Amino acid sequence: MPAWLEVAIRSICILIGLFVITKLLGKKQLSKLSFFEYIVGITIGDIAGSMSMDLDIRLTEGITSILIWSLFPVAISIISLRSKKFRDFVEGNSTVFIKNGKILEDNLKKEKYTIDELLEQLRKKDVFRVADVEFATLEANGDLSILLKRDKQPLTIGDIQPYVPEEKEPQTVIMDGEILDEPLATARLNRGWLKQQLDQMGVAVENVFLAQVDSYGQLTVDLYDDRIQVPEPQQKQLLLASMKKAEADFELFALQTNDAEAKRMYEQQAKQMQQLIQNLQPFLT
């Protein structure tokens, strides 16, 4: 067999093997590598590269070495899932650096962390004053997690509105010109509604690159041809206009009726609608 063909066959087999190993290791190892996992990855890559090019290395020996280096971290992960003590020993624990607004100097020394490094990590979190921090801890993976003092935390809608409507993830209903029925069903919609919305926009399904429906039932589309302008969704504005019309109708009914009880009922409904509009207007504009 020619040497180049053997190298090609070896490389393809090793690539397939590394793909299987990567799937076994899972997504956690891909996103958050520990120092040990980093070393294991480098070593496996080096062994695989040597096996591809060095024809003097027998495949059985190389595969055995790769399996040992690959299965060891898998075994550690399995044991870590079942034993908290073993997990703490392997991965370590978080260390508190700031508590109740006070820096814990002994914990900094324990982790060999200088005050300059702590300030640098705080600046990366957009915090420039230690006095603004209520609590900060160094996680096992080296990230610094912080909790700002209550008066330094950013304002949220929940701080202003007592009742905030639930926000759900948008559903992708069209991708690459194809309608996706499962996300449509998740949004409690159907193809008839989707085609009606597209007809109102003057857009054909096959011309849509991506279409999503948000928690308010608004459809947004991205076309293959970016030069075509698609009208902005109007569902929230139409809902607000309908609510204002209902308020005006209640006020009109109250003025037109001569029945005192009916007048009082219409006035009460108008006030309730007005209060509802005030509560929902920040979300509908």
Side-chain angles (χ1 to χ4, degrees):
M1 179 185 298
W4 67 268
L5 182 59
E6 185 175 354
V7 169
I9 295 175
R10 279 176 172 245
S11 300
I12 293 173
C13 294
I14 291 170
L15 281 173
I16 296 174
L18 290 178
F19 176 78
V20 174
I21 291 171
T22 303
K23 301 296 286 186
L24 288 175
L25 291 176
K27 296 179 180 178
K28 177 184 175 183
Q29 276 72 17
L30 295 176
S31 61
K32 294 183 179 180
L33 289 174
S34 66
F35 181 74
F36 174 73
E37 291 165 345
Y38 178 72
I39 297 299
V40 168
I42 292 178
T43 305
I44 292 176
D46 184 59
I47 295 173
S50 299
M51 288 175 58
S52 297
M53 299 300 298
D54 193 346
L55 301 182
D56 294 332
I57 300 178
R58 290 188 295 180
L59 282 177
T60 54
E61 297 174 352
I63 292 173
T64 301
S65 178
I66 287 180
L67 286 176
I68 292 175
W69 278 92
S70 302
L71 295 179
F72 191 73
V74 173
I76 289 179
S77 299
I78 294 174
I79 299 174
S80 298
L81 289 174
R82 299 181 179 181
S83 173
K84 177 69 167 62
K85 292 182 179 179
F86 184 80
R87 182 165 64 250
D88 292 342
F89 172 74
V90 173
E91 299 181 2
N93 293 315
S94 60
T95 305
V96 178
F97 279 174
I98 301 176
K99 188 174 183 179
N100 297 328
K102 302 294 183 181
I103 298 177
L104 306 181
E105 293 84 359
D106 292 339
N107 287 352
L108 286 177
K109 294 178 181 178
K110 176 183 175 182
E111 296 294 340
K112 299 178 178 60
Y113 233 76
T114 66
I115 187 63
D116 291 327
E117 291 171 331
L118 175 61
L119 294 176
E120 178 185 352
Q121 293 299 318
L122 290 175
R123 288 193 295 271
K124 289 181 179 179
K125 301 286 185 178
D126 295 329
V127 177
F128 294 87
R129 289 204 319 162
V130 177
D132 294 343
V133 180
E134 178 68 25
F135 182 83
T137 180
L138 183 68
E139 305 295 348
N141 62 358
D143 290 339
L144 186 69
S145 302
I146 66 172
L147 174 66
L148 294 175
K149 291 183 177 179
R150 188 73 180 100
D151 58 336
K152 299 299 180 182
Q153 294 179 12
L155 190 67
T156 64
I157 296 178
D159 296 327
I160 303 175
Q161 295 289 338
Y163 302 103
V164 181
E166 183 180 357
E167 184 79 18
K168 296 181 180 179
E169 75 278 7
Q171 298 294 327
T172 300
V173 295
I174 300 178
M175 184 180 293
D176 295 327
E178 298 289 337
I179 297 177
L180 307 179
D181 291 311
E182 184 176 347
L184 262 178
T186 302
R188 299 182 180 180
L189 300 170
N190 53 45
R191 287 189 172 222
W193 174 88
L194 180 59
K195 291 181 179 179
Q196 180 184 6
Q197 296 295 316
L198 293 176
D199 289 341
Q200 292 177 0
M201 297 179 182
V203 175
V205 174
E206 56 270 16
N207 294 330
V208 178
F209 177 65
L210 181 71
Q212 293 182 311
V213 178
D214 62 15
S215 56
Y216 295 99
Q218 292 194 128
L219 178 69
T220 55
V221 300
D222 185 273
L223 303 181
Y224 282 105
D225 191 348
D226 294 330
R227 293 172 296 179
I228 300 177
Q229 296 297 322
V230 180
E232 293 293 329
Q234 301 291 330
Q235 280 84 350
K236 291 195 290 184
Q237 291 85 343
L238 290 174
L239 176 59
L240 181 60
S242 299
M243 294 173 65
K244 289 182 178 180
K245 182 179 182 301
E247 179 191 1
D249 288 342
F250 284 134
E251 293 175 349
L252 180 61
F253 296 156
L255 292 173
Q256 290 178 342
T257 183
N258 293 324
D259 189 316
E261 184 177 352
K263 182 184 291 289
R264 185 168 56 254
M265 181 190 67
Y266 287 134
E267 289 176 348
Q268 183 180 3
Q269 293 297 324
K271 290 181 180 179
Q272 290 180 356
M273 183 60 69
Q274 183 182 24
Q275 183 63 42
L276 185 61
I277 291 174
Q278 290 178 355
N279 293 337
L280 295 180
Q281 191 162 6
F283 309 102
L284 299 178
T285 56

